[in-house]
Amino acid sequence: MTSDVATAPGDLPLVGHALRLLRPWSLLHSLRAHGDLVRLKVGTLPIYVVCAPHLVQEMLVHDDVYDRGGAVFDQVRTVMGDGLITCAHARHRRNRRLVQPVFARSRMPGYSRLMVAHSAPLISSWQDGQVLDARTALHAIIRRQTTATLFSSRISPEQFEQLQEDVSTIATGWLRQLITPARLRRFTVGAEWKRASSRVHQAIEDSVTLAGKPSCPVAHAEQDVPELLLAARDADGSGLGPEQIHDELISMYLAGVESSSTVLSWTVDLLAHHPEIQRRAAEEADRVLGDRDPTGEDVDRMPYITHVLHESLRVHPPTWLLTRVTTRDTTLGGHHLPAGTNVAYSAYQLGRDPAVFPDPTRFDPDRWAAESFPRGAFVPWGGGPRLCIGMQFSLAEMVIVLSQVLRTWRWTAVGEPARARISMLHMPKAVRVRLERRVGS
Ligand code: HEM
């Protein structure tokens, strides 16, 4: 154990901080006061949380020393396979190069068109005066958009609809799946979850098989994502095998749906409780869009809405604690860390550090116009070579959806600000808002 690092208060014999981690927000908030690096214990296992931005940056940049690994990633791998999210450093660089074309800037206009086509009908189907369950509604929009952009017209309309239901089932049940040891899973994981999971895997497998056939019945002007992944070649001419493509697709699919819909849900809640900020964001959407739908090019034209999303990500980042394991003996901030040490960073803790973000609980999108922050302080998308590969994609998707909603609806809070629920992600329990159709929309 690294003896010169403070242990966070409140650890109990045998369980350590495990009970406090069931409601982690106040614990994470308090860590910075104990140092740049603070020890948490999960049971008897020590995890060193890196709290100082410059050290977080050092850790993220040296991804060969601070590698993916540990119990959480082992569990995630049982659902997502060994795609970019879970794979170790040894495979990462090559696979990232091969997946990168999926997120090339040149592909964004095509993705944006699909995103708008799938969100506009749902947003305009909401009713004036309705109390909207925003989490459910936004999850449905992002699910459809992600299915359409990742699989394009490769899957049948029936498969498309089935995927919507199945991804929803997986999302609801996957924390239980992840926290249950493999040998006990057959008692806790329902048959419906298993059926949904195998249908999703099958749909992805089918889309990859179909993409490889020259007689593929789907004609495109542009290669779709399974085709792109099949065609990708490294400098030595080698590519990704069907199994690897399957793992990359399911990782992108689940990561994409869950994180973006969570951020949008928090944002709708924050805007319900900050009507003046909602009004300014709606004005920007009106000014840029008039009465047309957004396109990919509009994303850069809506800086205020982008600042709203950044601020929402600062106070409510979906990934609240991410772990690494040291691959060799090293030092961080002068502390010795032996090989095999569990290290973590928390975008939640970092985003609420008052030394970096004054008055950190205040929701203030203008702080993104006025200031720049040290590297390692704002990391909701991670950083270094393992920065979220879907960052630009998700930002475009969220700006597109939020601007469409703002253009059509004004909304007010029903009840108190949403509270976070315990999950793999930092997500709101429920977001209920009352809708009012805007004049002229
Ligand atoms: C607001 C939305 C999103 C957030 C907050 C988010 C967050 C993150 C974070 C924090 C990481 C790094 C994890 C680590 O350090 O261990 C990551 C990686 C990743 N994300 Fe995202 N993500 C979002 C959207 C997406 C989307 C839309 C996709 C795909 C369509 C995606 C695919 C991935 C992949 C494949 C990786 C692994 C990258 C690598 O290691 O090379 N994410 N994401």
Side-chain angles (χ1 to χ4, degrees), residues 68 73 84-85 92 96 103 252 255-256 259-260 263 313 318-319 322 324 345 380-382 385-390 393-394 398:
R68 293 283 210 274
F73 278 106
L84 284 181
I85 290 182
H92 176 256
R96 177 129 179 163
F103 297 99
M252 290 191 263
S259 343
S260 302
V263 177
L313 275 156
T319 44
L322 286 163
R324 297 288 191 270
Y345 72 100
W381 279 291
R386 303 204 73 150
L387 176 73
C388 174
I389 201 168
F393 176 99
S394 61
M398 295 188 297

PDB file of all heavy atoms in Angstrom, residues 68 73 84-85 92 96 103 252 255-256 259-260 263 313 318-319 322 324 345 380-382 385-390 393-394 398, ligand 1:
ATOM      1  N   ARG A  68      -6.214   0.167 -19.189  1.00  0.00           N
ATOM      2  CA  ARG A  68      -7.535  -0.371 -18.854  1.00  0.00           C
ATOM      3  C   ARG A  68      -7.313  -1.683 -18.098  1.00  0.00           C
ATOM      4  O   ARG A  68      -6.410  -2.439 -18.426  1.00  0.00           O
ATOM      5  CB  ARG A  68      -8.317  -0.713 -20.119  1.00  0.00           C
ATOM      6  CG  ARG A  68      -8.708   0.457 -20.950  1.00  0.00           C
ATOM      7  CD  ARG A  68      -9.898   1.185 -20.335  1.00  0.00           C
ATOM      8  NE  ARG A  68     -10.700   1.813 -21.355  1.00  0.00           N
ATOM      9  CZ  ARG A  68     -10.473   3.025 -21.851  1.00  0.00           C
ATOM     10  NH1 ARG A  68      -9.448   3.731 -21.416  1.00  0.00           N
ATOM     11  NH2 ARG A  68     -11.256   3.523 -22.790  1.00  0.00           N
ATOM     12  N   PHE A  73     -13.700  -3.237 -15.563  1.00  0.00           N
ATOM     13  CA  PHE A  73     -13.541  -3.476 -17.006  1.00  0.00           C
ATOM     14  C   PHE A  73     -13.741  -4.959 -17.346  1.00  0.00           C
ATOM     15  O   PHE A  73     -14.258  -5.288 -18.410  1.00  0.00           O
ATOM     16  CB  PHE A  73     -12.185  -2.966 -17.509  1.00  0.00           C
ATOM     17  CG  PHE A  73     -12.202  -1.485 -17.774  1.00  0.00           C
ATOM     18  CD1 PHE A  73     -11.578  -0.598 -16.918  1.00  0.00           C
ATOM     19  CD2 PHE A  73     -12.892  -0.967 -18.865  1.00  0.00           C
ATOM     20  CE1 PHE A  73     -11.623   0.773 -17.142  1.00  0.00           C
ATOM     21  CE2 PHE A  73     -12.944   0.401 -19.109  1.00  0.00           C
ATOM     22  CZ  PHE A  73     -12.311   1.271 -18.243  1.00  0.00           C
ATOM     23  N   LEU A  84     -12.852  -1.054 -28.328  1.00  0.00           N
ATOM     24  CA  LEU A  84     -11.954   0.017 -27.878  1.00  0.00           C
ATOM     25  C   LEU A  84     -12.167   0.382 -26.411  1.00  0.00           C
ATOM     26  O   LEU A  84     -11.220   0.724 -25.715  1.00  0.00           O
ATOM     27  CB  LEU A  84     -12.193   1.281 -28.718  1.00  0.00           C
ATOM     28  CG  LEU A  84     -11.626   1.294 -30.127  1.00  0.00           C
ATOM     29  CD1 LEU A  84     -11.944   2.634 -30.794  1.00  0.00           C
ATOM     30  CD2 LEU A  84     -10.129   1.058 -30.124  1.00  0.00           C
ATOM     31  N   ILE A  85     -13.412   0.331 -25.953  1.00  0.00           N
ATOM     32  CA  ILE A  85     -13.693   0.780 -24.585  1.00  0.00           C
ATOM     33  C   ILE A  85     -12.972  -0.082 -23.563  1.00  0.00           C
ATOM     34  O   ILE A  85     -12.463   0.406 -22.564  1.00  0.00           O
ATOM     35  CB  ILE A  85     -15.219   0.772 -24.325  1.00  0.00           C
ATOM     36  CG1 ILE A  85     -15.838   1.898 -25.150  1.00  0.00           C
ATOM     37  CG2 ILE A  85     -15.556   0.908 -22.835  1.00  0.00           C
ATOM     38  CD1 ILE A  85     -17.307   2.087 -24.988  1.00  0.00           C
ATOM     39  N   HIS A  92      -4.790  -1.447 -28.458  1.00  0.00           N
ATOM     40  CA  HIS A  92      -5.594  -0.246 -28.632  1.00  0.00           C
ATOM     41  C   HIS A  92      -5.236   0.610 -29.846  1.00  0.00           C
ATOM     42  O   HIS A  92      -6.101   0.981 -30.651  1.00  0.00           O
ATOM     43  CB  HIS A  92      -5.544   0.605 -27.351  1.00  0.00           C
ATOM     44  CG  HIS A  92      -6.275   1.897 -27.496  1.00  0.00           C
ATOM     45  ND1 HIS A  92      -5.644   3.108 -27.663  1.00  0.00           N
ATOM     46  CD2 HIS A  92      -7.607   2.168 -27.559  1.00  0.00           C
ATOM     47  CE1 HIS A  92      -6.536   4.059 -27.791  1.00  0.00           C
ATOM     48  NE2 HIS A  92      -7.737   3.528 -27.728  1.00  0.00           N
ATOM     49  N   ARG A  96      -7.786   1.466 -32.805  1.00  0.00           N
ATOM     50  CA  ARG A  96      -8.314   2.845 -32.863  1.00  0.00           C
ATOM     51  C   ARG A  96      -8.094   3.422 -34.269  1.00  0.00           C
ATOM     52  O   ARG A  96      -8.990   4.076 -34.805  1.00  0.00           O
ATOM     53  CB  ARG A  96      -7.636   3.706 -31.798  1.00  0.00           C
ATOM     54  CG  ARG A  96      -8.086   5.145 -31.848  1.00  0.00           C
ATOM     55  CD  ARG A  96      -8.523   5.693 -30.539  1.00  0.00           C
ATOM     56  NE  ARG A  96      -8.932   7.085 -30.661  1.00  0.00           N
ATOM     57  CZ  ARG A  96      -9.652   7.742 -29.787  1.00  0.00           C
ATOM     58  NH1 ARG A  96     -10.089   7.145 -28.702  1.00  0.00           N
ATOM     59  NH2 ARG A  96      -9.967   8.992 -29.961  1.00  0.00           N
ATOM     60  N   PHE A 103     -15.584   8.027 -37.571  1.00  0.00           N
ATOM     61  CA  PHE A 103     -15.854   9.330 -36.961  1.00  0.00           C
ATOM     62  C   PHE A 103     -15.166  10.473 -37.710  1.00  0.00           C
ATOM     63  O   PHE A 103     -14.997  11.554 -37.161  1.00  0.00           O
ATOM     64  CB  PHE A 103     -15.434   9.301 -35.478  1.00  0.00           C
ATOM     65  CG  PHE A 103     -16.248   8.310 -34.694  1.00  0.00           C
ATOM     66  CD1 PHE A 103     -15.755   7.031 -34.410  1.00  0.00           C
ATOM     67  CD2 PHE A 103     -17.529   8.625 -34.277  1.00  0.00           C
ATOM     68  CE1 PHE A 103     -16.522   6.106 -33.720  1.00  0.00           C
ATOM     69  CE2 PHE A 103     -18.305   7.706 -33.587  1.00  0.00           C
ATOM     70  CZ  PHE A 103     -17.797   6.447 -33.308  1.00  0.00           C
ATOM     71  N   MET A 252     -19.791   0.741 -29.335  1.00  0.00           N
ATOM     72  CA  MET A 252     -20.216   2.081 -29.761  1.00  0.00           C
ATOM     73  C   MET A 252     -21.712   2.249 -29.531  1.00  0.00           C
ATOM     74  O   MET A 252     -22.181   3.301 -29.117  1.00  0.00           O
ATOM     75  CB  MET A 252     -19.899   2.288 -31.245  1.00  0.00           C
ATOM     76  CG  MET A 252     -18.424   2.394 -31.535  1.00  0.00           C
ATOM     77  SD  MET A 252     -18.178   2.946 -33.222  1.00  0.00           S
ATOM     78  CE  MET A 252     -17.896   1.454 -34.084  1.00  0.00           C
ATOM     79  N   ALA A 255     -22.424   2.408 -25.584  1.00  0.00           N
ATOM     80  CA  ALA A 255     -21.814   3.622 -25.004  1.00  0.00           C
ATOM     81  C   ALA A 255     -22.512   4.852 -25.552  1.00  0.00           C
ATOM     82  O   ALA A 255     -22.822   5.794 -24.818  1.00  0.00           O
ATOM     83  CB  ALA A 255     -20.325   3.688 -25.336  1.00  0.00           C
ATOM     84  N   GLY A 256     -22.795   4.835 -26.853  1.00  0.00           N
ATOM     85  CA  GLY A 256     -23.385   6.003 -27.491  1.00  0.00           C
ATOM     86  C   GLY A 256     -24.778   6.283 -26.980  1.00  0.00           C
ATOM     87  O   GLY A 256     -25.101   7.414 -26.603  1.00  0.00           O
ATOM     88  N   SER A 259     -24.760   7.289 -22.863  1.00  0.00           N
ATOM     89  CA  SER A 259     -24.171   8.554 -22.387  1.00  0.00           C
ATOM     90  C   SER A 259     -24.901   9.761 -22.954  1.00  0.00           C
ATOM     91  O   SER A 259     -25.233  10.688 -22.217  1.00  0.00           O
ATOM     92  CB  SER A 259     -22.683   8.677 -22.733  1.00  0.00           C
ATOM     93  OG  SER A 259     -22.144   7.480 -23.071  1.00  0.00           O
ATOM     94  N   SER A 260     -25.164   9.766 -24.257  1.00  0.00           N
ATOM     95  CA  SER A 260     -25.770  10.979 -24.827  1.00  0.00           C
ATOM     96  C   SER A 260     -27.177  11.204 -24.268  1.00  0.00           C
ATOM     97  O   SER A 260     -27.564  12.348 -23.986  1.00  0.00           O
ATOM     98  CB  SER A 260     -25.830  10.885 -26.354  1.00  0.00           C
ATOM     99  OG  SER A 260     -24.546  10.693 -26.868  1.00  0.00           O
ATOM    100  N   VAL A 263     -26.873  12.708 -20.751  1.00  0.00           N
ATOM    101  CA  VAL A 263     -26.499  14.131 -20.735  1.00  0.00           C
ATOM    102  C   VAL A 263     -27.695  14.999 -21.134  1.00  0.00           C
ATOM    103  O   VAL A 263     -27.985  16.018 -20.500  1.00  0.00           O
ATOM    104  CB  VAL A 263     -25.303  14.399 -21.684  1.00  0.00           C
ATOM    105  CG1 VAL A 263     -24.968  15.887 -21.714  1.00  0.00           C
ATOM    106  CG2 VAL A 263     -24.092  13.593 -21.268  1.00  0.00           C
ATOM    107  N   LEU A 313     -22.381  18.810 -18.707  1.00  0.00           N
ATOM    108  CA  LEU A 313     -21.393  17.721 -18.567  1.00  0.00           C
ATOM    109  C   LEU A 313     -20.453  17.958 -17.379  1.00  0.00           C
ATOM    110  O   LEU A 313     -19.940  17.023 -16.784  1.00  0.00           O
ATOM    111  CB  LEU A 313     -20.554  17.621 -19.838  1.00  0.00           C
ATOM    112  CG  LEU A 313     -21.159  16.790 -20.953  1.00  0.00           C
ATOM    113  CD1 LEU A 313     -20.607  17.216 -22.302  1.00  0.00           C
ATOM    114  CD2 LEU A 313     -20.861  15.305 -20.737  1.00  0.00           C
ATOM    115  N   PRO A 318     -21.724  11.743 -17.155  1.00  0.00           N
ATOM    116  CA  PRO A 318     -22.274  10.388 -16.989  1.00  0.00           C
ATOM    117  C   PRO A 318     -21.277   9.397 -16.376  1.00  0.00           C
ATOM    118  O   PRO A 318     -21.640   8.609 -15.525  1.00  0.00           O
ATOM    119  CB  PRO A 318     -22.633   9.959 -18.418  1.00  0.00           C
ATOM    120  CG  PRO A 318     -22.549  11.156 -19.257  1.00  0.00           C
ATOM    121  CD  PRO A 318     -21.766  12.209 -18.546  1.00  0.00           C
ATOM    122  N   THR A 319     -20.018   9.450 -16.817  1.00  0.00           N
ATOM    123  CA  THR A 319     -19.046   8.498 -16.248  1.00  0.00           C
ATOM    124  C   THR A 319     -18.428   9.147 -15.011  1.00  0.00           C
ATOM    125  O   THR A 319     -17.600  10.045 -15.129  1.00  0.00           O
ATOM    126  CB  THR A 319     -17.941   8.165 -17.265  1.00  0.00           C
ATOM    127  OG1 THR A 319     -17.522   9.382 -17.885  1.00  0.00           O
ATOM    128  CG2 THR A 319     -18.423   7.225 -18.336  1.00  0.00           C
ATOM    129  N   LEU A 322     -13.768   6.364 -13.308  1.00  0.00           N
ATOM    130  CA  LEU A 322     -13.180   5.433 -14.278  1.00  0.00           C
ATOM    131  C   LEU A 322     -11.839   4.954 -13.755  1.00  0.00           C
ATOM    132  O   LEU A 322     -11.074   5.733 -13.178  1.00  0.00           O
ATOM    133  CB  LEU A 322     -13.004   6.125 -15.635  1.00  0.00           C
ATOM    134  CG  LEU A 322     -14.327   6.313 -16.386  1.00  0.00           C
ATOM    135  CD1 LEU A 322     -14.189   7.334 -17.497  1.00  0.00           C
ATOM    136  CD2 LEU A 322     -14.823   4.986 -16.957  1.00  0.00           C
ATOM    137  N   ARG A 324      -8.097   2.637 -13.804  1.00  0.00           N
ATOM    138  CA  ARG A 324      -6.941   2.177 -14.557  1.00  0.00           C
ATOM    139  C   ARG A 324      -6.135   1.252 -13.633  1.00  0.00           C
ATOM    140  O   ARG A 324      -6.277   1.325 -12.405  1.00  0.00           O
ATOM    141  CB  ARG A 324      -6.024   3.345 -14.948  1.00  0.00           C
ATOM    142  CG  ARG A 324      -6.649   4.365 -15.875  1.00  0.00           C
ATOM    143  CD  ARG A 324      -6.809   3.802 -17.278  1.00  0.00           C
ATOM    144  NE  ARG A 324      -7.176   4.831 -18.250  1.00  0.00           N
ATOM    145  CZ  ARG A 324      -8.419   5.161 -18.553  1.00  0.00           C
ATOM    146  NH1 ARG A 324      -9.442   4.576 -17.940  1.00  0.00           N
ATOM    147  NH2 ARG A 324      -8.667   6.078 -19.461  1.00  0.00           N
ATOM    148  N   TYR A 345     -10.027   8.100 -11.819  1.00  0.00           N
ATOM    149  CA  TYR A 345     -10.298   9.543 -11.885  1.00  0.00           C
ATOM    150  C   TYR A 345     -11.798   9.728 -11.970  1.00  0.00           C
ATOM    151  O   TYR A 345     -12.526   8.863 -12.464  1.00  0.00           O
ATOM    152  CB  TYR A 345      -9.564  10.203 -13.056  1.00  0.00           C
ATOM    153  CG  TYR A 345     -10.106   9.899 -14.435  1.00  0.00           C
ATOM    154  CD1 TYR A 345     -10.931  10.818 -15.092  1.00  0.00           C
ATOM    155  CD2 TYR A 345      -9.790   8.720 -15.098  1.00  0.00           C
ATOM    156  CE1 TYR A 345     -11.415  10.563 -16.370  1.00  0.00           C
ATOM    157  CE2 TYR A 345     -10.273   8.453 -16.375  1.00  0.00           C
ATOM    158  CZ  TYR A 345     -11.080   9.374 -17.003  1.00  0.00           C
ATOM    159  OH  TYR A 345     -11.563   9.113 -18.261  1.00  0.00           O
ATOM    160  N   PRO A 380     -15.128  14.867 -19.015  1.00  0.00           N
ATOM    161  CA  PRO A 380     -16.286  13.969 -19.146  1.00  0.00           C
ATOM    162  C   PRO A 380     -16.131  13.001 -20.309  1.00  0.00           C
ATOM    163  O   PRO A 380     -16.789  11.960 -20.332  1.00  0.00           O
ATOM    164  CB  PRO A 380     -17.453  14.938 -19.385  1.00  0.00           C
ATOM    165  CG  PRO A 380     -16.833  16.167 -19.933  1.00  0.00           C
ATOM    166  CD  PRO A 380     -15.478  16.265 -19.301  1.00  0.00           C
ATOM    167  N   TRP A 381     -15.278  13.341 -21.287  1.00  0.00           N
ATOM    168  CA  TRP A 381     -15.010  12.440 -22.406  1.00  0.00           C
ATOM    169  C   TRP A 381     -13.651  11.748 -22.237  1.00  0.00           C
ATOM    170  O   TRP A 381     -13.096  11.231 -23.203  1.00  0.00           O
ATOM    171  CB  TRP A 381     -15.011  13.213 -23.726  1.00  0.00           C
ATOM    172  CG  TRP A 381     -16.356  13.493 -24.301  1.00  0.00           C
ATOM    173  CD1 TRP A 381     -17.232  12.584 -24.835  1.00  0.00           C
ATOM    174  CD2 TRP A 381     -16.997  14.768 -24.445  1.00  0.00           C
ATOM    175  NE1 TRP A 381     -18.372  13.231 -25.293  1.00  0.00           N
ATOM    176  CE2 TRP A 381     -18.250  14.567 -25.068  1.00  0.00           C
ATOM    177  CE3 TRP A 381     -16.629  16.073 -24.109  1.00  0.00           C
ATOM    178  CZ2 TRP A 381     -19.138  15.598 -25.351  1.00  0.00           C
ATOM    179  CZ3 TRP A 381     -17.511  17.103 -24.395  1.00  0.00           C
ATOM    180  CH2 TRP A 381     -18.751  16.860 -25.005  1.00  0.00           C
ATOM    181  N   GLY A 382     -13.086  11.773 -21.030  1.00  0.00           N
ATOM    182  CA  GLY A 382     -11.759  11.207 -20.831  1.00  0.00           C
ATOM    183  C   GLY A 382     -10.701  12.119 -21.433  1.00  0.00           C
ATOM    184  O   GLY A 382     -10.913  13.335 -21.562  1.00  0.00           O
ATOM    185  N   PRO A 385      -4.723   9.520 -25.371  1.00  0.00           N
ATOM    186  CA  PRO A 385      -4.992   8.671 -26.540  1.00  0.00           C
ATOM    187  C   PRO A 385      -6.319   7.913 -26.442  1.00  0.00           C
ATOM    188  O   PRO A 385      -6.811   7.411 -27.441  1.00  0.00           O
ATOM    189  CB  PRO A 385      -3.829   7.669 -26.531  1.00  0.00           C
ATOM    190  CG  PRO A 385      -2.778   8.291 -25.680  1.00  0.00           C
ATOM    191  CD  PRO A 385      -3.482   9.155 -24.683  1.00  0.00           C
ATOM    192  N   ARG A 386      -6.915   7.855 -25.247  1.00  0.00           N
ATOM    193  CA  ARG A 386      -8.177   7.125 -25.109  1.00  0.00           C
ATOM    194  C   ARG A 386      -9.365   8.063 -24.922  1.00  0.00           C
ATOM    195  O   ARG A 386     -10.429   7.658 -24.433  1.00  0.00           O
ATOM    196  CB  ARG A 386      -8.069   6.108 -23.972  1.00  0.00           C
ATOM    197  CG  ARG A 386      -6.906   5.157 -24.234  1.00  0.00           C
ATOM    198  CD  ARG A 386      -7.018   3.856 -23.581  1.00  0.00           C
ATOM    199  NE  ARG A 386      -7.994   2.990 -24.168  1.00  0.00           N
ATOM    200  CZ  ARG A 386      -7.900   1.666 -24.173  1.00  0.00           C
ATOM    201  NH1 ARG A 386      -6.851   1.082 -23.632  1.00  0.00           N
ATOM    202  NH2 ARG A 386      -8.837   0.913 -24.694  1.00  0.00           N
ATOM    203  N   LEU A 387      -9.165   9.296 -25.356  1.00  0.00           N
ATOM    204  CA  LEU A 387     -10.281  10.247 -25.396  1.00  0.00           C
ATOM    205  C   LEU A 387     -11.444   9.603 -26.157  1.00  0.00           C
ATOM    206  O   LEU A 387     -11.214   8.908 -27.155  1.00  0.00           O
ATOM    207  CB  LEU A 387      -9.813  11.503 -26.153  1.00  0.00           C
ATOM    208  CG  LEU A 387     -10.864  12.584 -26.399  1.00  0.00           C
ATOM    209  CD1 LEU A 387     -11.174  13.314 -25.093  1.00  0.00           C
ATOM    210  CD2 LEU A 387     -10.363  13.599 -27.436  1.00  0.00           C
ATOM    211  N   CYS A 388     -12.659   9.855 -25.699  1.00  0.00           N
ATOM    212  CA  CYS A 388     -13.840   9.275 -26.352  1.00  0.00           C
ATOM    213  C   CYS A 388     -13.780   9.491 -27.867  1.00  0.00           C
ATOM    214  O   CYS A 388     -13.722  10.631 -28.333  1.00  0.00           O
ATOM    215  CB  CYS A 388     -15.090   9.933 -25.785  1.00  0.00           C
ATOM    216  SG  CYS A 388     -16.583   9.396 -26.644  1.00  0.00           S
ATOM    217  N   ILE A 389     -13.828   8.413 -28.598  1.00  0.00           N
ATOM    218  CA  ILE A 389     -13.749   8.519 -30.059  1.00  0.00           C
ATOM    219  C   ILE A 389     -15.045   9.103 -30.623  1.00  0.00           C
ATOM    220  O   ILE A 389     -15.070   9.645 -31.726  1.00  0.00           O
ATOM    221  CB  ILE A 389     -13.443   7.119 -30.662  1.00  0.00           C
ATOM    222  CG1 ILE A 389     -12.852   7.250 -32.067  1.00  0.00           C
ATOM    223  CG2 ILE A 389     -14.664   6.225 -30.676  1.00  0.00           C
ATOM    224  CD1 ILE A 389     -12.266   5.940 -32.606  1.00  0.00           C
ATOM    225  N   GLY A 390     -16.116   9.026 -29.836  1.00  0.00           N
ATOM    226  CA  GLY A 390     -17.416   9.538 -30.294  1.00  0.00           C
ATOM    227  C   GLY A 390     -17.697  10.954 -29.814  1.00  0.00           C
ATOM    228  O   GLY A 390     -18.834  11.402 -29.874  1.00  0.00           O
ATOM    229  N   PHE A 393     -19.098  13.350 -32.517  1.00  0.00           N
ATOM    230  CA  PHE A 393     -20.367  12.753 -32.928  1.00  0.00           C
ATOM    231  C   PHE A 393     -21.437  13.052 -31.876  1.00  0.00           C
ATOM    232  O   PHE A 393     -22.538  13.518 -32.186  1.00  0.00           O
ATOM    233  CB  PHE A 393     -20.146  11.246 -33.085  1.00  0.00           C
ATOM    234  CG  PHE A 393     -21.361  10.437 -33.418  1.00  0.00           C
ATOM    235  CD1 PHE A 393     -21.617  10.057 -34.725  1.00  0.00           C
ATOM    236  CD2 PHE A 393     -22.236  10.009 -32.430  1.00  0.00           C
ATOM    237  CE1 PHE A 393     -22.727   9.285 -35.042  1.00  0.00           C
ATOM    238  CE2 PHE A 393     -23.349   9.236 -32.734  1.00  0.00           C
ATOM    239  CZ  PHE A 393     -23.589   8.870 -34.037  1.00  0.00           C
ATOM    240  N   SER A 394     -21.104  12.809 -30.600  1.00  0.00           N
ATOM    241  CA  SER A 394     -22.123  12.966 -29.553  1.00  0.00           C
ATOM    242  C   SER A 394     -22.456  14.435 -29.346  1.00  0.00           C
ATOM    243  O   SER A 394     -23.602  14.791 -29.093  1.00  0.00           O
ATOM    244  CB  SER A 394     -21.689  12.313 -28.243  1.00  0.00           C
ATOM    245  OG  SER A 394     -20.525  12.900 -27.755  1.00  0.00           O
ATOM    246  N   MET A 398     -26.150  15.908 -29.716  1.00  0.00           N
ATOM    247  CA  MET A 398     -26.836  16.578 -28.611  1.00  0.00           C
ATOM    248  C   MET A 398     -27.242  18.002 -28.997  1.00  0.00           C
ATOM    249  O   MET A 398     -28.327  18.458 -28.643  1.00  0.00           O
ATOM    250  CB  MET A 398     -25.953  16.572 -27.356  1.00  0.00           C
ATOM    251  CG  MET A 398     -25.725  15.159 -26.829  1.00  0.00           C
ATOM    252  SD  MET A 398     -24.893  15.097 -25.219  1.00  0.00           S
ATOM    253  CE  MET A 398     -23.309  15.812 -25.561  1.00  0.00           C
TER     254      MET A 398
HETATM  255  C1  HEM B   1     -22.056  12.581 -24.123  1.00  0.00           C
HETATM  256  C2  HEM B   1     -21.733  11.445 -24.667  1.00  0.00           C
HETATM  257  C3  HEM B   1     -20.502  10.652 -24.297  1.00  0.00           C
HETATM  258  C4  HEM B   1     -19.715  10.700 -23.174  1.00  0.00           C
HETATM  259  C5  HEM B   1     -19.866  11.599 -21.961  1.00  0.00           C
HETATM  260  C6  HEM B   1     -18.669   9.711 -23.343  1.00  0.00           C
HETATM  261  C7  HEM B   1     -17.659   9.468 -22.434  1.00  0.00           C
HETATM  262  C8  HEM B   1     -16.564   8.665 -22.681  1.00  0.00           C
HETATM  263  C9  HEM B   1     -15.412   8.546 -21.811  1.00  0.00           C
HETATM  264  C10 HEM B   1     -15.250   9.222 -20.453  1.00  0.00           C
HETATM  265  C11 HEM B   1     -14.531   7.711 -22.412  1.00  0.00           C
HETATM  266  C12 HEM B   1     -13.144   7.342 -21.884  1.00  0.00           C
HETATM  267  C13 HEM B   1     -13.247   6.238 -20.861  1.00  0.00           C
HETATM  268  C14 HEM B   1     -11.970   6.068 -20.035  1.00  0.00           C
HETATM  269  O1  HEM B   1     -11.189   7.002 -19.815  1.00  0.00           O
HETATM  270  O2  HEM B   1     -11.802   4.940 -19.526  1.00  0.00           O
HETATM  271  C15 HEM B   1     -15.122   7.270 -23.649  1.00  0.00           C
HETATM  272  C16 HEM B   1     -14.539   6.392 -24.529  1.00  0.00           C
HETATM  273  C17 HEM B   1     -15.186   5.888 -25.622  1.00  0.00           C
HETATM  274  N1  HEM B   1     -16.423   6.277 -26.107  1.00  0.00           N
HETATM  275 FE1  HEM B   1     -17.592   7.736 -25.403  1.00  0.00          FE
HETATM  276  N2  HEM B   1     -18.858   9.083 -24.542  1.00  0.00           N
HETATM  277  C18 HEM B   1     -19.958   9.625 -25.166  1.00  0.00           C
HETATM  278  C19 HEM B   1     -20.485   9.301 -26.383  1.00  0.00           C
HETATM  279  C20 HEM B   1     -20.003   8.293 -27.194  1.00  0.00           C
HETATM  280  C21 HEM B   1     -20.567   7.908 -28.472  1.00  0.00           C
HETATM  281  C22 HEM B   1     -21.773   8.591 -29.124  1.00  0.00           C
HETATM  282  C23 HEM B   1     -19.825   6.861 -28.910  1.00  0.00           C
HETATM  283  C24 HEM B   1     -19.970   6.063 -30.189  1.00  0.00           C
HETATM  284  C25 HEM B   1     -20.925   6.184 -31.069  1.00  0.00           C
HETATM  285  C26 HEM B   1     -18.784   6.594 -27.941  1.00  0.00           C
HETATM  286  C27 HEM B   1     -17.840   5.600 -28.028  1.00  0.00           C
HETATM  287  C28 HEM B   1     -16.712   5.522 -27.219  1.00  0.00           C
HETATM  288  C29 HEM B   1     -15.614   4.594 -27.461  1.00  0.00           C
HETATM  289  C30 HEM B   1     -15.534   3.561 -28.586  1.00  0.00           C
HETATM  290  C31 HEM B   1     -14.647   4.837 -26.459  1.00  0.00           C
HETATM  291  C32 HEM B   1     -13.305   4.137 -26.290  1.00  0.00           C
HETATM  292  C33 HEM B   1     -12.230   5.010 -26.949  1.00  0.00           C
HETATM  293  C34 HEM B   1     -10.816   4.456 -26.817  1.00  0.00           C
HETATM  294  O3  HEM B   1     -10.443   3.957 -25.743  1.00  0.00           O
HETATM  295  O4  HEM B   1     -10.082   4.588 -27.801  1.00  0.00           O
HETATM  296  N3  HEM B   1     -18.924   7.482 -26.904  1.00  0.00           N
HETATM  297  N4  HEM B   1     -16.369   7.869 -23.802  1.00  0.00           N
END
